[in-house]
Amino acid sequence: MQRIFSSLAKLCAILAGLLLTVITLVTCGNLILRNTTGDSMAGAFEITAVSTGAAIALFMPLCQFRQGHIIVDFFTQGLSDATNAMLDRLGALMLALVFALLAWRTSLGGLSAYTAHSETMLMGIPEWIVYAAMVPPFILSALIGFWQAACSFDYLTGPKP
């Protein structure tokens, strides 16, 4: 499972990086156009907003896999390794539940946007596409969190001697 989750999380991060590259190119193109001709690209802001939401969701699986979320260990630094490991598993479980909730609610939001034929104002991009792009990474993040809660985090640091 570790190899599968690692590969899928890296694939999501690569897709997120591609989206951020698109955002950068659109923004640069828009700035060049605005500063040279006085015009701007219609819908550049919409493309940026749509892509940013999807990119953030796509970075979540790798962050979860690598335990990249912020951990405040001020109160737990004096506890034993076994206690900290149990707290790490509990934290992974809580994050998995949050990601599962996000996947569920994002799915419902996407279905609602699809049913209402909701579109962006200038370009008419269907909003359900953004929701659809966010659901799979949230599901993957939840699965990784449940796996981390059930297993140990030895894959990050290696077995202890």
Side-chain angles (χ1 to χ4, degrees):
M1 288 305 288
Q2 173 186 344
R3 186 172 291 156
I4 293 169
F5 283 144
S6 175
S7 297
L8 289 173
K10 288 176 184 175
L11 176 64
C12 285
I14 289 169
L15 291 173
L18 290 173
L19 280 175
L20 290 177
T21 302
V22 167
I23 292 169
T24 302
L25 293 174
V26 167
T27 302
C28 288
N30 193 34
L31 286 172
I32 290 169
L33 196 63
R34 188 179 315 155
N35 290 320
T36 57
T37 66
D39 290 334
S40 64
M41 285 187 225
F45 176 78
E46 288 181 356
I47 292 171
T48 301
V50 166
S51 300
T52 302
I56 290 169
L58 284 164
F59 276 124
M60 287 295 122
L62 187 61
C63 188
Q64 179 64 36
F65 184 79
R66 292 186 177 174
Q67 282 188 287
H69 301 293
I70 295 173
I71 297 174
V72 180
D73 60 354
F74 178 77
F75 297 107
T76 61
Q77 63 187 350
L79 300 177
S80 69
D81 288 343
T83 303
N84 278 322
M86 189 250 335
L87 290 172
D88 284 343
R89 285 183 175 190
L90 181 62
L93 176 63
M94 299 310 283
L95 277 170
L97 292 171
V98 167
F99 280 122
L101 179 67
L102 282 171
W104 170 54
R105 296 305 300 175
T106 304
S107 297
L108 293 179
L111 289 171
S112 176
Y114 181 79
T115 304
H117 302 288
S118 182
E119 297 176 340
T120 60
M121 188 177 294
L122 294 176
M123 296 187 72
I125 300 170
E127 290 181 359
W128 69 264
I129 294 173
V130 181
Y131 289 97
M134 295 171 76
V135 172
F138 286 155
I139 292 171
L140 179 59
S141 298
L143 291 173
I144 291 170
F146 286 128
W147 171 69
Q148 289 171 332
C151 304
S152 69
F153 291 98
D154 289 341
Y155 65 93
L156 289 173
T157 58
K160 302 247 192 273

